[in-house]
Amino acid sequence: MADAAVSTRTAPAWAGDEPAIPLGLGNEAALVIEAAPVTAMPQSAAAVQTAPGELVEPGRALALADFGPPALGMGERLIRLAYRMGVPGSTLSTPFAKAARLRLLATASCPLQGSKVSGTALRAGHFLVHGVKSPIAQIDFVGAGRMAPPLERTVHSFSWLADLEACAPRETVAPVAERILGAWLDANLKLPAKPGKGPAWSIDNAGNRLVNWLVYAPLILSGQDRVLRTRTFDAISDTARWLDKHVGRAEDRLAEVAGWCGIVAAGLLLPQGKPRRLFGESGLIRALGEMVGDDGGVLSRSPLGQIDAIALLVRLRACYQAVKRDMPRALETMLDLLVPPLLALTHGDGSIGSWQGGWAIDASELAGLIEASGVRTRPLRDVRQWGYQRVVAQKGVLQFDAAPPPLAKHARAGCGSTLAFEFSHAGQRLVVNCGGAACAGGLIPVRLEQGLRATAAHSTLVLDDANSTAVLINGAIGSGVSEVDVDRRTLIGEKNAGATRLEASHNGYASRFGLIHRRILILRDDGTELRGEDLLVPASGKGKAGRIGFAIRFHLGPGIEAGLSEDGKGAGLALPDGSYWQFRAGGEGQVTIEESLWADGQGRPQPIQQLVIQGMVSRGGGSFSWLLKKMG
């Protein structure tokens, strides 16, 4: 323990008259093993010394030195350079031969499974996206009449091909795929001069579409219609050339990664593709390095972005395997890096926590992705830019957002969720975040999208109904939290009587209200007791005069029945599994029960309740303690 400081410290005092339930440590001092405090800041902040000899640059993207493109000979470097400058691939591959006929060199077999339910809906004539059925006959494939964002992504990325393949034998579903593809091609006869001319021609949708066309090619190229087959090959070739030219103008880093994956897949599976493959591999590795932090988490801090990145690399690896080539070591290493941060956001039932616009993605879907990745690993422990602290205490799982929101250039559905937490026990979610902003446009109305990204949609403290970080339109975020201090400690006690203590603070309310929000969470080692304390501390010296409204929100998991105590200082929680938990609040503020909403595993809204401690607090600061304990 050379790098840890050891000190003695007593349990914190709790405000109010409600006696604190001891952690099993009695009145004796508990031994605290202190990890060095970590400061999480955005990319522009200075580096922070987190441990002796270890320097971490917060928010740092992976350097090219970390993941360089495959080693090439001088000849291959010249080929890559010439292709980047616009020399046709056929000229570089076979300079004295005519261009090869368009065909697929191999058939990919992807281990990722689509949704059988969505595939069955397609066979019945509907797109099924987050619970909403949209008749195929009524889809505007041109994009002049804007569809809901989730449906738009599904239609134009051709991600639905995986769903069709999963629901029935190929010969049964191929005619459905060909009919939809034919309608799409009829509506998109001409490629635009630049990205963004219609939803079909964002780099994100075009890159994913090209990957899906190539990976699921048997569904769209095995029919008897030779005209459609020729048009499809032309569309594949044209899209690949369009991406060659425009991939550098992607909407964000994840979109750029999708574009480069499409380029590499085309270079692998189309004739005379070596120059394109070399060009694409270099660009893809560079884009991944700029999208992923040095702990393996994407800089958008979104589990959805993490999932999309893993799925793209899994599909791309299927293309490499189809032509019997090894995927570059840098890409395999990147895949190994991406999985542990995602696992850090799993609850006891294997499903995902609701963070940065995501929803509670089902355990089966996540397990299928991890199995397809081929990565066998444990959840991330050394958290830096990813920012989500995870504590496992027997059947209890705590997730704590202890980092600033992503920078605006990385955010797709950025949320003001700093210092929010989720807690589950034995697979049952007790405290959740609403989630679902990224699937708004399904059964969740689009008008709720901004509200679901607000601080109040997360289980944390809110001052004066204001967001800790500004939530803007189109998934963007503004100013607010720029720095988070984190401290994690282990409290040593008798068997199952110790605990893990997390303490973090953010400055999101400092400029407006002159207050720093600090939150302390203590989870007992047996997982049956979670203590919390929310403190408001003056940002500089003496606090301001006056009072301000506050609300500490605890969104409850689905199926939990809550009943207030007679004194208005607590509530009883009856869980679907038959267990009973008690919630108690100390100090100022009354506990009330309000309605809330939670996005389930399919992105559908479910009515839930929330406990709210609310009242007025001095601008000079205040302290609010609470306790969540399993009874019986």
Side-chain angles (χ1 to χ4, degrees):
M1 300 297 295
D3 294 344
V6 181
S7 66
T8 59
R9 186 167 303 207
T10 56
W14 298 90
D17 298 328
E18 179 67 19
I21 299 176
L23 284 170
L25 303 175
N27 295 320
E28 299 176 359
L31 182 65
V32 180
I33 308 298
E34 297 189 20
V38 178
T39 300
M41 289 178 273
Q43 288 177 326
S44 59
V48 180
Q49 191 79 26
T50 61
E54 180 184 4
L55 186 66
V56 176
E57 299 175 18
R60 181 181 77 90
L62 291 169
L64 289 182
D66 299 327
F67 294 92
L72 303 177
M74 182 58 68
E76 290 182 325
R77 291 183 194 174
L78 291 174
I79 289 174
R80 186 174 66 194
L81 176 62
Y83 190 82
R84 183 182 295 120
M85 295 175 64
V87 179
S90 58
T91 302
L92 294 170
S93 297
T94 51
F96 302 108
K98 65 179 182 179
R101 177 177 61 88
L102 272 178
R103 61 189 177 88
L104 284 187
L105 300 180
T107 301
S109 177
C110 183
L112 273 178
Q113 296 294 312
S115 167
K116 293 182 179 180
V117 174
S118 298
T120 302
L122 282 167
R123 293 181 64 195
H126 301 85
F127 284 102
L128 178 62
V129 181
H130 300 313
V132 174
K133 287 185 177 181
S134 303
I136 296 172
Q138 297 178 15
I139 295 294
D140 178 11
F141 291 103
V142 179
R146 293 302 296 266
M147 295 177 273
L151 176 61
E152 196 172 78
R153 287 192 295 270
T154 299
V155 169
H156 292 298
S157 70
F158 277 68
S159 61
W160 51 266
L161 285 172
D163 301 332
L164 269 182
E165 185 176 76
C167 76
R170 182 175 297 164
E171 58 272 14
T172 303
V173 298
V176 179
E178 290 173 351
R179 283 197 298 272
I180 300 174
L181 172 63
W184 189 93
L185 292 175
D186 290 341
N188 293 272
L189 296 173
K190 186 178 180 181
L191 278 69
K194 59 182 180 179
K197 296 292 185 179
W201 296 104
S202 66
I203 298 297
D204 189 24
N205 282 336
N208 276 288
R209 180 167 65 247
L210 183 56
V211 171
N212 286 320
W213 278 349
L214 291 167
V215 169
Y216 302 105
L219 290 180
I220 57 176
L221 291 171
S222 60
Q224 300 301 314
D225 189 338
R226 293 188 177 183
V227 174
L228 178 61
R229 188 158 60 247
T230 300
R231 292 178 66 199
T232 302
F233 272 122
D234 289 342
I236 291 172
S237 178
D238 291 346
T239 302
R241 284 197 297 269
W242 186 85
L243 285 171
D244 288 341
K245 184 177 180 180
H246 297 295
V247 66
R249 303 170 69 178
E251 309 83 64
D252 57 24
R253 292 302 183 199
L254 182 56
E256 185 179 353
V257 167
W260 284 116
C261 283
I263 290 171
V264 175
L268 289 165
L269 295 177
L270 295 182
Q272 300 172 332
K274 180 179 179 180
R276 174 176 279 141
R277 174 179 62 79
L278 295 175
F279 168 66
E281 287 173 344
S282 175
L284 175 58
I285 292 168
R286 182 178 63 253
L288 283 166
E290 293 171 348
M291 183 186 74
V292 178
D294 59 2
D295 58 4
V298 294
L299 296 180
S300 67
R301 303 194 60 233
S302 167
L304 297 180
Q306 201 84 6
I307 288 170
D308 287 346
I310 294 171
L312 279 167
L313 291 180
V314 169
R315 291 189 174 99
L316 186 60
R317 185 170 60 190
C319 297
Y320 277 99
Q321 292 171 341
V323 295
K324 294 180 171 54
R325 290 189 65 90
D326 291 332
M327 192 160 76
R329 182 59 193 160
L331 297 181
E332 290 284 4
T333 302
M334 182 61 72
L335 195 55
D336 292 341
L337 266 179
L338 286 167
V339 173
L342 183 62
L343 293 178
L345 293 184
T346 55
H347 283 285
D349 61 354
S351 60
I352 289 286
S354 302
W355 299 102
Q356 290 299 320
W359 56 94
I361 293 172
D362 285 340
S364 58
E365 183 177 345
L366 181 64
L369 176 70
I370 302 304
E371 182 179 358
S373 75
V375 178
R376 299 293 178 264
T377 186
R378 296 178 181 274
L380 178 69
R381 292 179 61 90
D382 185 15
V383 176
R384 292 187 289 275
Q385 285 76 42
W386 188 233
Y388 299 106
Q389 295 285 335
R390 172 186 173 89
V391 180
V392 178
Q394 293 193 19
K395 296 180 180 180
V397 177
L398 174 66
Q399 300 173 10
F400 185 36
D401 183 356
L407 295 181
K409 65 181 180 180
H410 296 300
R412 283 193 172 185
C415 299
S417 60
T418 311
L419 302 197
F421 77 95
E422 290 201 355
F423 177 61
S424 65
H425 187 270
Q428 170 66 55
R429 296 175 188 237
L430 277 87
V431 180
V432 300
N433 301 310
C434 294
C439 60
L443 287 178
I444 295 177
V446 173
R447 67 178 183 274
L448 296 183
E449 185 262 351
Q450 263 188 284
L452 293 173
R453 295 163 50 216
T455 303
H458 299 81
S459 294
T460 187
L461 177 144
V462 182
L463 281 181
D464 199 31
D465 290 327
N467 294 318
S468 59
T469 296
V471 173
L472 309 178
I473 62 172
N474 298 324
I477 53 177
S479 61
V481 178
S482 62
E483 180 176 328
V484 175
D485 294 319
V486 187
D487 182 51
R488 179 169 179 152
R489 308 179 181 190
T490 300
L491 306 177
I492 306 300
E494 297 177 1
K495 184 177 180 181
N496 292 331
T500 298
R501 181 182 187 272
L502 296 173
E503 179 177 349
S505 62
H506 75 69
N507 62 348
Y509 292 123
S511 61
R512 283 169 289 178
F513 307 121
L515 293 169
I516 298 292
H517 175 207
R518 180 177 298 154
R519 168 164 271 186
I520 300 171
L521 299 177
I522 302 177
L523 179 61
R524 186 164 153 160
D525 284 347
D526 62 5
T528 63
E529 181 179 295
L530 176 64
R531 293 176 175 274
E533 186 171 11
D534 288 284
L535 302 97
L536 293 170
V537 182
S540 58
K542 188 177 180 181
K544 298 181 180 180
R547 296 173 70 81
I548 189 172
F550 76 93
I552 307 174
R553 300 184 179 275
F554 303 85
H555 299 270
L556 302 178
I560 294 179
E561 297 181 6
L564 288 176
S565 62
E566 293 183 0
D567 61 0
K569 290 289 186 179
L573 308 178
L575 276 58
D577 62 4
S579 61
Y580 188 81
W581 290 66
Q582 186 179 34
F583 178 86
R584 295 293 298 173
E588 300 181 31
Q590 290 292 113
V591 178
T592 60
I593 298 177
E594 298 180 5
E595 294 181 348
S596 186
L597 175 150
W598 178 73
D600 68 9
Q602 284 73 48
R604 301 170 302 191
Q606 302 294 336
I608 59 172
Q609 294 178 308
Q610 60 176 312
L611 301 178
V612 186
I613 306 173
Q614 54 190 337
M616 302 294 291
V617 63
S618 168
R619 285 178 177 259
S623 174
F624 315 97
S625 59
W626 47 267
L627 170 69
L628 182 63
K629 181 177 176 63
K630 187 175 188 290
M631 308 305 292

